[in-house]
């Protein structure tokens, strides 16, 4: 980690509208409990999901940019395809999509891979949007659709539930329910990551796959690097402490899972996501609205710059990995 730390005067985005300087992040007033953090995350998605959809479309995850001509939409589906390739997921699999957002990945897996997908999210607003978008894609409009009802998409199906990812064990009491647990950029929001790994291992069938794409801090950061590059991301993106890739590998192995596909760091191929995102939020009205929502609104927008800075300095990382539930001896 010897890359120089960029400051705001070296960041070309700083001059775009000078909004980041006009709306600095207020000091953190108090330490938030994990329970309080979870409530703030739920509120954030209830408030911002329609805006996210207008900004990024149906997928709420990074794009995997392999071609200079890639649109953000193509790059996002490339990421899903990369995970499918790394997992070697069989068509028709029964999939639990944790942190499904508005259901973009759930619909993709159902429509293009014949999977039967259960998407779960902490946000009731996202469930509402996921159901609406899925009915639109299926060409079916059922006024009395109940959240949780499967909706047919080509050879697969998708259904959506409002559920805290740390309550999977209570909601799905039967072990061996899913061929795949898929979690893309959601585990970094979970305070109790070991609990998630335990629940995933229990819910998987024998030989089932846990498929992960997530945000990480780099190994062996100095305090200066952490304070400059990671802390603003954790603050603005409402994250408990970020883990390293090695820590995820250890957590998976501790609950009896085996590494099926080694951690693949694709930071350089996804970093463009935040260049695009920063360009899309250069609206004085948006920053004024964020300011009206209190500290979390401004910290969130400031975190867009922090993500770019973290990638540029190498302190913030993005990786994909796959675990498998082994046959019992």
């Amino acid at each position: 980690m010897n890359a120089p730390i960029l400051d705001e005067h070296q960041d070309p985005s700083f001059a775009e509208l000078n909004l980041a300087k006009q709306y600095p992040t207020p000091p953190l007033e108090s330490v938030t409990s994990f329970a309080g953090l979870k409530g703030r995350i739920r509120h954030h998605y209830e408030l911002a999901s329609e805006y996210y959809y207008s900004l990024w479309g149906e997928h709420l995850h990074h794009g995997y940019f392999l071609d200079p001509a890639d649109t953000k939409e193509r790059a996002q589906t490339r990421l899903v395809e990369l995970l499918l390739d790394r997992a070697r997921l069989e068509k028709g699999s029964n999939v639990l999509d944790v942190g499904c957002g508005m259901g973009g990945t759930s619909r993709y897996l159902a429509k293009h891979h014949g999977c039967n997908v259960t998407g779960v999210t902490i946000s009731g607003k996202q469930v509402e949007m996921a159901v609406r978008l899925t009915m639109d894609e299926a060409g079916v409009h059922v006024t009395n659709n109940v959240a949780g009802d499967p909706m047919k998409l080509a050879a697969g199906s998708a259904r959506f539930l409002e559920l805290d990812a740390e309550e999977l064990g209570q909601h799905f009491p039967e072990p061996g329910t899913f061929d795949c647990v898929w979690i893309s950029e959601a585990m970094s929001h979970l305070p109790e990551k070991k609990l998630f790994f335990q629940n995933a291992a229990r819910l998987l069938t024998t030989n089932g796959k846990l498929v992960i794409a997530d945000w990480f801090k780099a190994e062996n950061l100095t305090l200066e690097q952490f304070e400059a590059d990671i802390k603003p991301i954790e603050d603005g993106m409402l994250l408990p402490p970020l883990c390293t890739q090695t820590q995820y590998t250890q957590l998976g192995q501790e609950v009896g899972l085996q590494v099926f596909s080694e951690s693949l760091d694709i930071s350089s191929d996804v970093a463009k996501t935040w260049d695009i995102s920063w360009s899309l939020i250069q609206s004085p009205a948006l920053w004024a609205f964020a300011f009206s929502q209190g500290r979390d609104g401004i910290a969130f927008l400031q975190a867009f710059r922090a993500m770019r800075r973290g990638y540029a300095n190498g302190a913030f990382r993005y990786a994909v990995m796959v675990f498998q539930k082994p046959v019992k001896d």
Side-chain angles (χ1 to χ4, degrees):
M1 297 302 304
N2 296 318
I5 294 178
L6 298 179
D7 62 32
E8 61 187 24
H9 303 293
Q10 295 170 293
D11 182 353
S13 68
F14 183 71
E16 288 181 25
L17 282 177
N18 209 22
L19 290 167
K21 194 169 186 178
Q22 185 179 347
Y23 292 100
T25 304
L28 190 61
E29 294 178 0
S30 61
V31 176
T32 303
S33 68
F34 284 151
L37 181 63
K38 197 175 293 185
R40 289 163 63 199
I41 292 168
R42 181 182 288 106
H43 175 73
H44 174 82
Y45 284 116
E46 295 293 292
L47 182 71
S49 288
E50 291 283 3
Y51 172 69
Y52 277 143
Y53 181 64
S54 71
L55 188 73
W56 270 101
E58 65 175 333
H59 292 281
L60 291 185
H61 57 70
H62 280 62
Y64 182 44
F65 292 89
L66 297 183
D67 188 309
D70 280 345
T71 62
K72 63 185 189 326
E73 294 80 9
R74 177 66 188 112
Q76 287 171 313
T77 58
R78 277 195 197 278
L79 182 63
V80 178
E81 291 163 359
L82 172 67
L83 289 167
L84 279 170
D85 181 64
R86 302 285 290 182
R88 291 184 233 159
L89 187 66
E90 292 185 10
K91 292 193 173 185
S93 292
N94 193 19
V95 178
L96 178 63
D97 182 9
V98 181
C100 67
M102 295 167 288
T105 296
S106 297
R107 285 187 292 278
Y108 187 95
L109 293 175
K111 187 173 181 179
H112 298 284
H113 214 65
C115 295
N116 296 303
V117 187
T118 298
V120 299
T121 168
I122 198 171
S123 166
K125 177 65 174 178
Q126 289 188 337
V127 170
E128 173 193 316
M129 294 178 68
V131 169
R132 185 184 78 226
L133 292 168
T134 304
M135 287 195 297
D136 287 347
E137 187 155 335
V140 176
H141 294 277
V142 181
T143 56
N144 63 344
N145 181 277
V146 177
D149 285 352
M151 291 165 280
K152 192 73 174 171
L153 285 171
S157 67
R159 68 184 185 120
F160 301 98
L161 303 171
E162 182 180 352
L163 182 65
D164 184 337
E166 292 182 341
E167 297 176 2
L168 295 176
Q170 297 97 297
H171 191 86
F172 300 105
E174 291 296 320
T177 304
F178 297 99
D179 304 308
C180 172
V181 175
W182 184 292
I183 183 164
S184 180
E185 300 180 31
M187 203 188 316
S188 49
H189 284 288
L190 304 182
E192 299 293 340
K193 292 179 176 61
K194 184 167 185 178
L195 175 62
F196 174 79
F197 273 95
Q198 289 170 335
N199 283 329
R202 189 183 63 81
L203 288 172
L204 285 172
T205 58
T206 299
N207 293 323
K209 309 287 178 53
L210 171 58
V211 180
I212 299 170
D214 214 354
W215 309 348
F216 300 91
K217 65 181 179 182
E219 308 277 351
N220 303 316
L221 291 177
T222 66
L223 179 60
E224 179 188 14
Q225 290 167 326
F226 174 81
E227 292 286 336
D229 291 335
I230 301 302
K231 191 173 180 180
I233 294 172
E234 292 178 347
D235 179 22
M237 293 295 173
L238 302 176
L239 303 175
L242 281 170
C243 292
T244 64
Q245 295 168 50
T246 298
Q247 286 174 303
Y248 273 28
T249 299
Q250 292 170 342
L251 285 169
Q253 292 172 334
E254 284 173 9
V255 301
L257 298 175
Q258 295 177 345
V259 175
F260 180 81
S261 178
E262 296 280 351
S263 181
L264 176 67
D265 191 311
I266 56 172
S267 302
S268 61
D269 295 315
V270 301
K272 184 179 177 181
T273 299
W274 293 96
D275 297 333
I276 296 171
S277 296
W278 180 251
S279 71
L280 292 173
I281 64 166
Q282 296 306 309
S283 162
L286 173 63
W287 283 75
F289 173 74
F291 181 77
S292 74
Q293 299 303 306
R295 186 186 184 282
D296 282 352
I298 290 299
F300 172 67
L301 293 184
Q302 290 282 8
F304 281 46
R305 291 182 70 238
M307 299 284 261
R308 298 179 73 208
R309 173 189 172 108
Y311 276 129
N313 290 333
F316 184 66
R317 312 303 300 169
Y318 192 103
V320 299
M321 60 187 72
V322 182
F323 295 89
Q324 185 173 40
K325 184 173 182 176
V327 178
K328 287 185 178 179
D329 295 331

